């Protein structure tokens, strides 16, 4: 195996024995083989489009299959082998319909057994082409990892009825691009930035799905304590699964809690209306083993971020969506009866344990609803600067930087945040500026579109570009959705981004030099030095 798609790549270069995420070598290899099979499916999907045929089944399947290869999603090698078989079956059906025969990945024949597939996988993995120019290979991998992020957003959007065939057309274009040996560095840079453009559209579709289905988030206090009674904990990112759990538990005496990136769900009107949707339990994904072991109810992992379940709760955890873990019961049909039955069988919380509250619900609608106060505060010099401190959390040392940074942000500045990186400081009491909270939770990593729209709207209000705003972006990354968001920011021309805790292992010095020269992207240093450089 060789994998370096996440920030925790072993030794800063890549995992080659076992994934730091817990991914076994066979799982990594099967993910590589699935990507290769998807390149072959993409060849035929592009050919179909040339003939005026758009196959929605292939579109939806491709996004789900790519999503399943994202970090901390699918750890089941047998299930991944089934994804490979389905990919080839769809490809062959498309081939028969079109009446053409293509070569390369389009002609790939998977082994009939898992063991045979595992022999094939190293031939098509990330290190299978040692003769490719290292900088071009770096850009190819940046594109691939960005595509995985786009696929994740499209899967969420499709679940809520939002789609765009042009997004899928780009997935196919990008998946097949490595087959074109005539593409040079400039063309690859262009494809990487185009991935950022397409990801913006994917995030827009997801935003439309979330807000169109559940309403625009509104500022909402969320209790961090617990309530006596049976309990279900919902983690991941999927709003529709959460809604289904809420509907199916009505009147059953079960309180539903969020975990991790589900915290912002408390701000959606159509979710917060459920009286048994109580509060938030725990923090970020990397702490789940300790937090899940202490939770006295059933646990549902709806999307990426799962870790190997501990023995203490392995019989109480369930998965849905594209998440798979060997031996963990998967809910594929939206019927969460097994989760409910497990919650009723477990003790639940025996007594109330009140805790502090945190505010969520500051999506673009809420923030722009008080834009006049924001503009007045800036013009009156009561509000000096905005910091977007956002991104993924993780276990690797160096992430305390973000806690210290927020703690040291001056009292005349506002911090906007989104994604699970917020759990480094989400319960800090920073006060307000003229009634505007100094800590504004914009939402999940899936809500990055909202943060972008806030920045664009403020730039329009001040009649300047986003880069001219008193706004600095301090980002943390971990997995491939963060890669796609970063590519979107670069596509939009946003400069001076500070990125940490480390730079991606898949970026070569020459590619990094391009990013520095064109966008002045830079690594984080220390909170004091970075604040001094930004504020003077």
């Amino acid at each position: 195996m060789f994998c370096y798609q996440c920030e925790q790549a072993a030794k800063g270069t890549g995992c080659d024995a076992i994934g730091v995420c817990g991914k076994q070598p066979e799982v990594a290899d099967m993910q590589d083989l699935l990507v290769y099979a998807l390149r072959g499916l993409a060849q035929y999907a592009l050919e179909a489009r040339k003939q005026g045929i758009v196959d929605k089944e292939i579109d939806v399947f491709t996004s789900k299959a790519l999503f399943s290869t994202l970090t901390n999603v699918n750890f089941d090698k047998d299930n991944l082998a089934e994804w490979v078989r389905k990919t080839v079956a769809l490809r062959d059906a498309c081939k028969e319909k079109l009446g053409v025969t293509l070569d390369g990945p389009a002609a790939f024949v998977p082994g009939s057994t898992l063991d045979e597939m595992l022999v094939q996988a190293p031939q098509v993995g990330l290190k299978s082409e040692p003769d490719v120019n290292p900088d071009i290979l770096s850009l190819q991998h940046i594109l691939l990892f960005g595509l995985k992020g786009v696929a994740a957003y499209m899967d969420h959007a499709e679940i809520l009825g939002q789609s765009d065939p042009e997004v899928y057309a780009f997935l196919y274009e990008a998946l097949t691009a490595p087959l074109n040996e005539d593409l040079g560095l400039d063309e690859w840079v262009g494809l990487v930035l185009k991935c950022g453009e397409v990801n913006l559209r994917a995030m827009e579709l997801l935003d439309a799905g979330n807000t169109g289905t559940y309403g625009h988030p509104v500022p909402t206090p969320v209790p961090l304590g617990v309530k006596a009674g049976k309990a279900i904990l919902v983690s991941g990112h999927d709003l529709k699964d959460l809604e289904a759990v809420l509907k199916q538990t009505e009147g059953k005496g079960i309180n539903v809690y969020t975990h991790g990136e589900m915290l912002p769900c408390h701000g959606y009107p159509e979710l917060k209306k459920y009286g048994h949707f109580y509060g938030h339990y725990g923090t970020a994904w990397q702490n789940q083993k300790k937090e899940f072991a202490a939770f006295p109810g059933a646990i549902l992992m709806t999307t990426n971020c799962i870790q190997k379940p501990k023995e203490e709760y392995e019989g109480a955890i369930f998965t849905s969506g594209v998440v798979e873990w060997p031996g963990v019961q998967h809910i594929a049909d939206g019927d969460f009866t097994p989760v409910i039955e497990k919650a009723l069988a477990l003790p639940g919380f025996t007594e109330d344990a009140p805790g502090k509250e945190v505010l969520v619900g500051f999506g673009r609608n809420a923030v722009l609803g008080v834009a006049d106060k924001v503009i007045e505060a800036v013009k009156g010099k009561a509000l000096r600067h905005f910091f977007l401190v956002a991104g993924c959390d993780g276990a690797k040392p160096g992430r305390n930087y973000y806690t210290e940074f927020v703690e040291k942000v001056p009292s005349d500045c506002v911090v906007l945040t989104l994604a699970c990186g917020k759990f480094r400081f989400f319960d800090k009491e920073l006060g307000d500026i003229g009634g505007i909270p100094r800590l504004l939770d914009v939402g999940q990593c899936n809500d990055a579109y909202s943060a972008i729209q806030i920045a664009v709207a403020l730039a329009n209000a001040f009649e300047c570009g986003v880069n001219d705003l008193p706004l600095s972006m301090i980002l943390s990354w971990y997995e491939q959705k963060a890669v796609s968001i970063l590519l979107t920011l670069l596509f939009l021309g946003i400069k001076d981004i500070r990125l940490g805790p480390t730079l991606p292992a898949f970026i070569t010095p020459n590619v990094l030099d391009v990013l520095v020269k064109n966008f002045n992207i830079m690594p984080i240093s220390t909170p004091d030095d970075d604040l001094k450089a930004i504020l003077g």
Side-chain angles (χ1 to χ4, degrees):
M1 71 170 285
F2 178 77
C3 182
Y4 65 171
Q5 67 180 9
C6 85
E7 190 268 336
Q8 293 186 169
K11 300 178 182 178
T13 56
C15 300
D16 56 10
I18 187 173
V20 173
C21 64
K23 184 165 57 179
Q24 295 297 316
E26 296 85 358
V27 171
D29 286 344
M30 289 309 301
Q31 289 178 342
D32 288 343
L33 196 66
L34 176 54
V35 169
Y36 186 74
L38 287 169
R39 294 193 194 279
L41 177 60
Q43 287 177 267
Y44 276 105
L46 279 180
E47 181 64 30
R49 275 167 158 72
K50 291 177 184 177
Q51 298 186 24
I53 301 172
V54 175
D55 192 318
K56 184 64 178 289
E57 181 184 6
I58 291 177
D59 289 350
V60 173
F61 177 87
T62 298
S63 63
K64 285 187 178 295
L66 264 181
F67 189 6
S68 74
T69 69
L70 192 138
T71 299
N72 287 15
V73 176
N74 192 329
F75 291 81
D76 190 327
K77 61 182 183 295
D78 294 301
N79 181 261
L80 287 164
E82 189 58 31
W83 276 105
V84 172
R85 295 185 188 102
K86 290 178 180 177
T87 302
V88 172
L90 272 177
R91 182 200 71 193
D92 289 347
C94 185
K95 171 184 175 180
E96 185 175 348
K97 185 185 302 182
L98 298 176
V100 297
T101 299
L102 304 175
D103 57 13
F108 165 64
V109 179
S112 58
T113 66
L114 175 64
D115 288 341
E116 289 176 358
M117 289 188 197
L118 289 171
V119 172
Q120 294 173 316
Q123 302 168 33
V124 297
L126 297 177
K127 282 195 167 184
S128 62
E129 296 182 286
D131 296 331
V132 175
N133 178 297
D135 298 322
I136 287 181
L137 192 63
S138 173
L139 290 165
Q140 288 179 355
H141 291 172
I142 292 170
L143 179 61
L144 173 60
F145 302 150
L147 287 181
K148 293 186 179 189
V150 174
Y153 291 130
M154 283 307 298
D155 183 53
H156 284 298
E158 284 283 1
I159 287 170
L160 296 174
Q162 297 292 321
S163 188
D164 185 342
E166 293 305 311
V167 174
Y168 295 112
F170 177 72
L171 286 183
Y172 304 138
E173 176 190 353
L175 280 169
T176 57
L179 307 179
N180 184 352
E181 297 180 0
D182 294 331
L183 297 180
L185 283 170
D186 289 344
E187 287 84 3
W188 278 107
V189 169
L191 278 169
V192 165
L193 292 178
K194 186 176 178 182
C195 183
E197 178 183 12
V198 171
N199 186 61
L200 181 63
R201 175 58 177 156
M203 291 193 299
E204 179 185 25
L205 291 167
L206 177 54
D207 179 85
N210 285 340
T211 59
T213 306
Y214 303 109
H216 282 276
V218 296
T220 303
V222 183
L224 300 181
V226 300
K227 194 174 183 179
K230 305 293 185 178
I232 290 176
L233 186 63
V234 182
S235 191
H237 304 75
D238 196 282
L239 274 61
K240 190 170 183 179
D241 278 353
L242 173 61
E243 179 191 33
V245 170
L246 290 168
K247 285 181 176 179
Q248 293 172 33
T249 51
E250 279 192 293
K252 289 184 167 61
I254 299 173
N255 294 314
V256 177
Y257 298 80
T258 53
H259 176 269
E261 290 247 43
M262 298 302 279
L263 168 62
C265 296
H266 291 273
Y268 286 93
E270 291 302 308
L271 296 176
K272 63 182 291 186
K273 69 182 183 182
Y274 292 92
H276 61 300
F277 188 26
Y278 179 65
H280 187 79
Y281 178 92
T283 52
W285 67 272
Q286 77 275 7
N287 302 317
Q288 67 186 253
K289 290 188 177 183
K290 178 181 178 181
E291 293 167 353
F292 288 3
F295 188 77
I299 303 159
L300 176 65
M301 182 61 74
T302 65
T303 56
N304 59 305
C305 293
I306 193 171
Q307 292 183 299
K308 181 180 181 179
K310 295 181 69 175
E311 184 178 350
E312 293 96 311
Y313 61 87
E314 62 182 0
I317 188 170
F318 301 80
T319 61
S320 62
V322 295
V323 187
E324 297 275 357
W325 192 283
V328 172
Q329 185 171 350
H330 185 74
I331 309 296
D333 58 1
D335 181 355
F336 294 103
T337 299
V339 183
I340 295 168
E341 290 176 344
K342 177 59 70 172
L344 292 172
L346 291 168
F349 292 102
T350 57
E351 59 183 10
D352 293 350
K356 66 191 306 183
E357 293 182 336
V358 294
L359 271 175
V360 302
F362 293 98
R364 72 179 191 281
N365 212 45
V367 174
L368 297 180
V370 294
D372 55 339
K373 291 183 179 180
V374 172
I375 294 167
E376 182 181 347
V378 173
K379 290 183 176 179
K381 301 190 182 304
L383 201 171
R384 177 169 39 149
H385 205 85
F386 296 92
F387 291 94
L388 177 64
V389 186
C392 314
D393 202 1
K396 194 173 180 179
R399 291 181 181 270
N400 285 339
Y401 164 94
Y402 298 93
T403 308
E404 187 180 346
F405 186 94
V406 169
E407 290 174 339
K408 291 184 174 181
V409 165
S411 59
D412 58 355
C413 301
V414 165
V415 175
L416 295 97
T417 188
L418 56 82
C420 62
K422 71 167 72 75
F423 288 109
R424 294 281 168 173
F425 49 80
F426 80 125
D427 56 353
K428 302 293 181 184
E429 296 178 1
L430 301 185
D432 65 87
I433 298 175
I436 303 168
R438 289 190 56 235
L439 181 59
L440 301 175
D441 186 349
V442 179
Q444 299 180 337
C445 62
N446 291 7
D447 298 313
Y449 179 80
S450 209
I452 291 170
Q453 293 308 302
I454 290 171
V456 171
L458 288 175
N460 291 336
F462 287 108
E463 298 181 343
C464 66
V466 171
N467 289 319
D468 300 316
L469 283 171
L471 167 68
S472 298
M473 296 190 182
I474 317 295
L475 305 182
S476 55
W477 81 284
Y478 175 72
E479 41 89 303
Q480 296 78 67
K481 284 185 286 183
V483 174
S484 62
I485 292 171
L486 179 62
L487 297 184
T488 294
L489 295 176
L490 299 182
F491 160 72
L492 292 171
I494 294 175
K495 299 182 178 182
D496 304 325
I497 296 170
R498 284 172 165 79
L499 183 65
T502 59
L503 294 178
F506 47 80
I507 293 183
T508 60
N510 288 336
V511 172
L512 179 61
D513 187 55
V514 170
L515 296 179
V516 171
K517 286 180 178 177
N518 288 278
F519 303 101
N520 197 34
I521 194 168
M522 64 192 85
I524 56 173
S525 58
T526 68
D528 289 323
D529 287 346
D530 287 345
L531 281 167
K532 183 177 180 181
I534 293 167
L535 297 175

